[in-house]
């Protein structure tokens, strides 16, 4: 009877296993396979096995650009996440201030940048704000008597102004998550703290931060991975075909895209993709382990 029950469970789960295998497992395995070959536009059918050559080139060949791309990606992720978490936390605190009027209107308006399609937002910023001749930013500078700035012409300014746009798009989600977490805190804690003479900073560090930390951890981790894999902002602002700005800024994802669809080196691009995949898996294991230990 038990064997029959196990067999029925296995039969019932078989379609789901096949679907998962076709959608998730097979593409990963196929990418791993391609990463050990020299497949490219000129070796589409007659590609051959080259072992770990693509991995060696990505990791150890200086002119390959992988190391600088991964360092840029780490810097991009760290800066964006630190600013997002800190700014979103204090804005959410402001939205939860007692007696604040029209707070629901503010929360609704904050959702617009996050709700808008990313492609539309990015191109609107590129043309409407960062454009050297007609952008709003340079119109304001000209009105104040300053020279016009080419915001995306070199790597450092491009990095900064790409980050500004990313923060504008991503902050609303983090603010709403903090807002929900703050509303779950028992207000009696603050009343007791005020009676003991605790000020704003003491209440924030001793009550608010510990209370929202575990609630916010999944949202922060998810946003960190999303930021690490960010592609559209940097690509559309600086590298879009036919609209290059002069910046040579590369993150790990734009680097993989460049090798796959510009250089047509699918073997190297697959190797980079597998390295990214392994990095994300390792980060996931450590972050999940950290959450379990704190819980």
């Amino acid at each position: 009877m038990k064997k029959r029950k196990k067999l029925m469970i296995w039969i019932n789960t078989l379609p789901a296993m096949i679907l998962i295998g076709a959608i998730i497992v097979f593409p990963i395995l196929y990418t791993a396979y391609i990463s050990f070959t020299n497949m490219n536009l000129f070796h589409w059918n007659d590609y051959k096995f080259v072992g770990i050559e693509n991995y060696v080139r990505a990791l150890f060949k200086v002119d390959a650009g992988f190391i600088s791309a991964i360092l840029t990606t780490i810097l991009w992720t760290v800066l964006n996440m630190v600013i997002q978490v800190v700014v979103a936390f204090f804005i959410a605190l402001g939205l939860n201030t007692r007696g604040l009027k029209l707070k629901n209107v503010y929360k609704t308006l904050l959702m617009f940048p996050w709700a808008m399609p990313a492609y539309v937002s990015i191109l609107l910023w590129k043309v409407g704000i960062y454009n050297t001749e007609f952008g709003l930013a340079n119109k304001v500078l000209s009105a104040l008597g300053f020279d016009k700035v080419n915001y995306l012409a070199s790597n450092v300014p491009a990095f900064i102004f790409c980050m500004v746009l990313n923060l504008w798009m991503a902050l609303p989600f983090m603010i709403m998550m903090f807002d929900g977490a703050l509303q779950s805190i028992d207000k009696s804690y603050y009343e007791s703290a005020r009676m003991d003479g605790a000020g704003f900073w003491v209440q924030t560090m001793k009550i608010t931060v510990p209370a929202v930390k575990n609630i916010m951890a999944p949202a922060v981790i998810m946003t960190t991975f999303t930021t690490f894999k960010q592609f559209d902002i940097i690509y559309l602002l600086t590298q879009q075909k036919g609209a290059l700005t002069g910046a040579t800024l590369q993150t790990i994802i734009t680097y993989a895209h460049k090798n796959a669809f510009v250089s047509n080196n699918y073997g190297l691009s697959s190797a980079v993709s597998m390295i990214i995949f392994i990095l994300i898996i390792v980060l996931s294991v450590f972050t999940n382990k950290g959450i379990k230990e704190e819980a």
Side-chain angles (χ1 to χ4, degrees):
M1 191 70 181
K2 288 183 179 180
K3 289 182 178 180
R4 186 178 178 183
K5 189 176 180 179
K6 287 181 179 180
L7 180 62
M8 290 303 297
I9 293 172
W10 189 83
I11 292 172
N12 290 331
T13 57
L14 185 60
M17 292 170 64
I18 293 173
L19 186 63
I20 291 170
I23 295 175
I24 299 175
V25 178
F26 174 74
I28 294 172
L29 294 177
Y30 184 68
T31 302
Y33 167 70
I34 294 300
S35 70
F36 293 105
T37 71
N38 68 337
M39 178 186 278
N40 56 50
L41 189 63
F42 305 103
H43 296 284
W44 187 255
N45 294 316
D46 61 339
Y47 59 85
K48 61 182 180 179
F49 186 79
V50 294
I52 62 171
E53 181 180 313
N54 291 318
Y55 291 92
V56 171
R57 178 180 175 185
L59 292 171
F60 301 111
K61 193 172 180 180
V62 176
D63 61 349
F66 176 81
I67 300 300
S68 62
I70 193 70
L71 292 175
T72 301
T73 305
I74 292 170
L75 182 63
W76 167 267
T77 305
V78 171
L79 288 178
N80 272 285
M81 289 311 302
V82 169
I83 296 171
Q84 273 188 57
V85 170
V86 173
V87 173
F89 176 69
F90 284 104
I91 291 176
L93 280 178
L95 290 173
N96 282 273
T97 303
R98 269 188 190 178
L100 179 66
K101 296 179 180 179
L102 302 175
K103 65 170 62 178
N104 289 331
V105 175
Y106 300 146
K107 291 178 183 180
T108 303
L109 292 174
L110 277 170
M111 291 305 294
F112 278 104
W114 183 70
M116 285 181 66
Y119 184 84
V120 175
S121 297
I122 295 165
L123 292 186
L124 281 174
W125 273 66
K126 183 174 184 177
V127 176
I129 296 179
Y130 291 152
N131 184 275
T132 307
E133 297 299 324
F134 311 108
L136 178 63
N138 273 336
K139 284 184 179 293
V140 172
L141 288 178
S142 297
L144 294 173
F146 295 101
D147 293 331
K148 292 180 178 179
V149 176
N150 195 336
Y151 297 94
L152 305 172
S154 56
N155 289 351
V156 174
F159 183 93
I160 293 169
F161 292 109
C162 284
M163 190 168 67
V164 169
L165 175 53
N166 184 63
L167 291 170
W168 181 82
M169 292 171 60
L171 269 172
F173 170 77
M174 195 65 72
I175 292 169
M176 291 302 105
M177 294 301 296
F178 269 117
D179 179 61
L182 290 171
Q183 290 182 27
S184 69
I185 303 173
D186 190 340
K187 300 299 182 286
S188 64
Y189 294 148
Y190 295 105
E191 293 172 4
S192 299
R194 281 192 292 271
M195 289 176 64
D196 291 336
F200 169 77
W201 288 108
V202 174
Q203 292 178 45
T204 300
M205 299 308 297
K206 298 295 184 180
I207 299 173
T208 309
V209 172
V212 302
K213 186 169 63 174
N214 289 335
I215 299 173
M216 287 301 301
V220 172
I221 291 169
M222 181 180 70
T223 308
T224 300
F225 289 145
T226 302
T227 306
F228 185 85
K229 298 186 297 178
Q230 184 69 255
F231 170 78
D232 49 3
I233 290 176
I234 291 175
Y235 177 77
L236 290 175
L237 283 184
T238 66
Q239 300 173 21
Q240 188 179 22
K241 192 173 181 180
L244 299 176
T245 64
T248 57
L249 190 67
Q250 291 281 1
T251 63
I252 193 68
I253 304 298
T254 60
Y255 175 78
H257 174 272
K258 178 183 175 182
N259 281 285
F261 302 108
V262 179
S263 302
N264 296 305
N265 192 336
Y266 305 115
L268 179 60
S269 178
S270 297
V272 172
S273 299
M274 290 308 300
I275 294 170
I276 297 169
F277 174 71
I278 292 167
L279 285 173
I280 291 173
I281 292 296
V282 171
L283 286 172
S284 299
V285 170
F286 278 104
T287 51
N288 289 331
K289 186 179 178 181
I291 291 173
K292 288 178 181 179
E293 287 176 354
E294 289 185 7

